[in-house]
Amino acid sequence: MNMKMLKAALAGLVLSVSSFANAGVIPLGNLEDGTVFSGTVIGDDDSFIASLGDYWTFNGAAGDIIDIDINRTEASPDLIATLFFGDVTGLDVDSLSPDGLINGLLVSNGVFGPLTVIDTQDDTENDSFGGPFGDPRFNLSLSSTGTYTLLVATLSAPGSYEISTTGITSVPEPSTLAIFALGIMGLAARRFKKQ
């Protein structure tokens, strides 16, 4: 009986991990209120900007007034950012409309696959590097509760940046592996209790 349970647990773990291995975009992280995150974008080669960018996700509640401040940490990148409603995790961005997502970086209020453009920012504010580029910054009230995706890319050379956020309400989403692990622990506890 123990061997069957062990085999089932192993099979479930392999399936969970293999689904992550076959996933499309895996965001760099889940943005949290009051935390600074670092990223690096590669240079635009005038192809599909969205596939060259960094993706970040966060959960927000309707009515949250959020501020997402994206700042270069070196002079070289010309940062541009788009905020989407929807979760990019696991999506193959190359299979979405390339023109649509490129336009999504430059114009707002479009729908591309499961993502809806909320806003796009380019040279919103000046920074300490003194030009020629500015940095993107979002300050808005969220209209819906759910998962949001932030895409950060560069229109020029590669470079590093930092993101700081305020106003995000923490809406935790359980991880698939965490749920799986809790289930296995529950089965094991039942088994040991019977003995």
Side-chain angles (χ1 to χ4, degrees), residues 76-187:
S76 54
D78 179 11
L79 296 178
I80 186 168
T82 294
L83 181 63
F84 298 96
F85 180 70
D87 190 351
V88 75
T89 306
L91 289 181
D92 178 4
V93 294
D94 292 321
S95 69
L96 300 176
S97 165
D99 291 337
L101 275 170
I102 288 174
N103 289 339
L105 285 165
L106 304 174
V107 299
S108 57
N109 300 324
V111 178
F112 309 107
L115 305 174
T116 302
V117 175
I118 303 299
D119 194 9
T120 295
Q121 295 293 329
D122 188 2
D123 299 327
T124 313
E125 62 181 9
N126 294 326
D127 58 32
S128 60
F129 296 108
F133 314 127
D135 287 336
R137 186 171 191 162
F138 297 88
N139 192 292
L140 58 117
S141 176
L142 300 181
S143 59
S144 303
T145 298
T147 301
Y148 290 79
T149 295
L150 177 68
L151 169 58
V152 180
T154 176
L155 297 174
S156 62
S160 59
Y161 63 91
E162 290 182 340
I163 301 175
S164 60
T165 59
T166 57
I168 295 174
T169 299
S170 178
V171 185
E173 284 189 13
S175 162
T176 303
L177 285 177
I179 292 172
F180 178 76
L182 286 172
I184 294 301
M185 289 179 359
L187 288 172

